[in-house]
Amino acid sequence: MRVAIVYPGGVIPPDRGSLEILIWNVAKRLKEYVHIAIFCSGKKRQKLREMVDGIEIFRTPKILRIVDKFIEFVFKFIFHNDQYVYSQYCYIATILYMAICLRRRQFDVIHIFTFSQHLPWLKSFNPKSKIIINFNHIRFVDIDTKILNRRLQYADLIVGVCEFVTNRIRYKYSEYRDRCFTSLNGVDIQKFYPYNGCEKHHKGSKIVLYVGRIVPEKGVHLLIEAIKMVVSKYKYVKLVIMGEFKPFPAYPRCAHFPFMKEIGSLNHGYEQFIKSKIKEVQKYVELKEAMLYENMPDIYNMADIFVHPAYIDIMPKTVLEAMACGLPVIASKTGGLPEMVLDGTTGILVPPGDAKLLADAIIKLLANDDLRITMGKRARKRVESNFTWEHVADRFLNLYSETL
């Protein structure tokens, strides 16, 4: 079986990026069973075509990447919005080039991630290939219904990264429900593991950790508010916030989700807003820049609790990485997070947007070492049973067989 994985915006091998990490780790496991090739973007000094670890990688020529950047600039200039990634013009030069390359090489399965606007091009140039589209975020599902409906007719299978996403596709596009499947995210459990068997022996303050983009929808400002409440009762605590102030384009049609209008008002000037809130409790909060992926196991292992207070999220890799490192996770009961964190077993789920309940959950785990350690051990076991890259590769392999 010949399989091509297509991600026009990604750089492979990755140094960061959730999707790139997923694609690369799964491809390394799939190569034992199928001929695998990856079609992606590129960066300086990377070859247009090369073999890496037995995987064939095809990259977009620099001139086409420049063309796509120019089209993006023109789009934003004309339409005065940030909806380019959802439009038919997104990576148009790249996908045409990839579609032609794919046709020349005749793949049985073409597995594209995220960009449904590329489905018509891929199917037109490769009518004999089976096309699979993978949705790893709700934002790319909740675009204009008529537009996505037209695009999905070109997909032989439609994959959501969690049941939350898949069920939403089934509900909105019932005519394609029989084509819908779920393949959960994964993590490298050999790389991410508890150094001390989930036992933490800190001298001084316990560490509460957040890792991810620092944007309104992730609820970082709520976490700071919660820590203000925590330190009024529990002084020996330190909140570490690690990530980048790097917003994604606004949700296209997601205002119906709770809090979307509220957090939309925070988009402008969010970095300054967060830094001003940190000053109010600067003794207890440390803001760190994002680190290289290779160094992240050390960061998780320095912590006692991982917190993900998002208003809406799907299946963030940071939560899986934290669980793999034996951390109990406090997360919002929203999106795909309940499919990862079992409330009362591997962590605690709280309603999104509630700083008080978030603070109560943090205090509960800080005050009970046995509960915190037990939840961390269960979190590790849950990842081992459901969320390894081997699990993801097996699910993908089954999907490929399903299409043929």
Side-chain angles (χ1 to χ4, degrees), residues 68-119:
D68 281 328
K69 281 291 184 184
F70 178 74
I71 293 172
E72 180 180 3
F73 171 80
V74 172
F75 180 95
K76 291 179 178 179
F77 179 79
I78 293 174
F79 295 103
H80 304 288
N81 63 42
D82 58 358
Q83 302 295 292
Y84 167 77
V85 293
Y86 311 113
S87 76
Q88 61 185 323
Y89 307 105
C90 180
Y91 296 122
I92 185 65
T94 291
I95 199 61
L96 286 172
Y97 170 78
M98 289 181 175
I100 294 169
C101 290
L102 289 162
R103 179 170 182 166
R104 289 172 180 166
R105 289 164 179 83
Q106 296 293 305
F107 287 90
D108 299 303
V109 177
I110 298 173
H111 189 170
I112 183 168
F113 283 76
T114 300
F115 299 106
S116 61
Q117 58 267 58
H118 299 154
L119 288 171

Side-chain angles (χ1 to χ4, degrees), residues 169-347:
I169 299 169
R170 291 185 181 119
Y171 172 75
K172 293 187 69 176
Y173 309 97
S174 57
E175 61 268 47
Y176 302 121
R177 63 182 303 112
D178 293 339
R179 303 184 195 178
C180 294
F181 295 86
T182 297
S183 179
L184 303 173
N185 208 343
V187 66
D188 186 345
I189 61 171
Q190 305 302 321
K191 182 182 183 66
F192 292 90
Y193 66 93
Y195 293 170
N196 299 309
C198 302
E199 303 284 346
K200 305 287 181 178
H201 301 286
H202 288 305
K203 293 181 179 179
S205 298
K206 289 187 170 66
I207 306 296
V208 176
L209 177 66
Y210 167 83
V211 177
R213 290 183 301 117
I214 306 174
V215 292
E217 69 211 50
K218 298 291 188 179
V220 179
H221 56 287
L222 283 174
L223 181 53
I224 298 170
E225 283 295 322
I227 286 297
K228 288 169 66 176
M229 301 179 201
V230 169
V231 298
S232 66
K233 298 180 180 179
Y234 195 101
K235 298 291 185 184
Y236 298 103
V237 62
K238 184 88 169 182
L239 170 62
V240 176
I241 299 171
M242 176 173 286
E244 296 176 303
F245 291 92
K246 187 179 180 181
F248 275 174
Y251 282 74
R253 299 172 68 85
C254 292
H256 55 276
F257 280 117
F259 308 108
M260 278 297 121
K261 291 182 180 178
E262 175 187 329
I263 67 173
S265 64
L266 295 173
N267 275 323
H268 183 68
Y270 192 67
E271 181 173 354
Q272 291 71 29
F273 175 64
I274 286 295
K275 289 179 177 178
S276 66
K277 291 189 75 67
I278 288 176
K279 286 181 180 179
E280 300 171 13
V281 281
Q282 58 185 359
K283 180 180 176 182
Y284 302 98
V285 181
E286 184 177 357
L287 182 63
K288 288 178 172 284
E289 293 183 357
M291 295 186 68
L292 290 176
Y293 181 64
E294 289 73 18
N295 299 327
M296 289 310 300
D298 295 336
I299 300 300
Y300 292 114
N301 273 280
M302 79 175 187
D304 297 275
I305 302 168
F306 188 84
V307 183
H308 195 80
Y311 286 97
I312 177 70
D313 214 335
I314 305 305
M315 189 152 281
K317 71 178 180 66
T318 55
V319 171
L320 290 179
E321 290 166 357
M323 292 172 66
C325 289
L327 293 181
V329 175
I330 299 171
S332 301
K333 192 175 183 179
T334 183
L337 289 166
E339 298 176 46
M340 306 165 77
V341 180
L342 300 182
D343 189 24
T345 301
T346 66

